[in-house]
Structures are given as structure tokens and as C-alpha cells.
Amino acid sequence: MFLEGCQQSATQWKEVLNNDEALTAVTLDRLIHHSHILNIQGESYRLIQKRKAGIL
């Protein structure tokens, strides 16, 4: 099992990979082939805890 987390959506990966469309397509193909994608919305627990502590 492999678990990967990312704050960038798949549509934003082109920018992350230096606007190289071919590299982006190959990278995403390898990562999501036979994968289950879970798109989680909302604030992270770390962000919520920092706000409660007054850090943010």
C-alpha cells in the first residue's frame, strides 16, 4: 500500500512541474494508475489546533 498526500489538485500539477505538460501527464499517469483517489475538503486538524491555540 502506498499513501500520498498533496495540497495541490491534479490540475495544478503542471505549474509544480515547471509547466511541462508531458512530464505532468506521465507523472500523474504513474501515480493514479490503479489508484483510489480521496478528495478531502475542509481545514486540517493542525490548522484548527493552531487557531485554537492563538498561533494563527
Side-chain angles (χ1 to χ4, degrees), residues 10-21:
T11 58
Q12 295 172 317
W13 277 45
K14 181 181 168 191
E15 297 169 17
V16 174
L17 296 172
N18 203 26
N19 290 319
D20 186 333
E21 290 186 27

Side-chain angles (χ1 to χ4, degrees), residues 2 6 9 11 14 16 18 21 29 33 35 38 42 44 48 50 52-54:
F2 177 73
C6 182
S9 69
T11 58
K14 181 181 168 191
V16 174
N18 203 26
E21 290 186 27
D29 180 62
H33 185 68
S35 295
L38 303 174
S44 70
I48 292 169
K50 285 182 179 182
K52 283 182 181 178

Side-chain angles (χ1 to χ4, degrees), residues 6-10 36-42:
C6 182
Q7 294 181 356
Q8 302 292 329
S9 69
H36 297 278
I37 299 173
L38 303 174
N39 189 6
I40 301 171
Q41 301 292 321

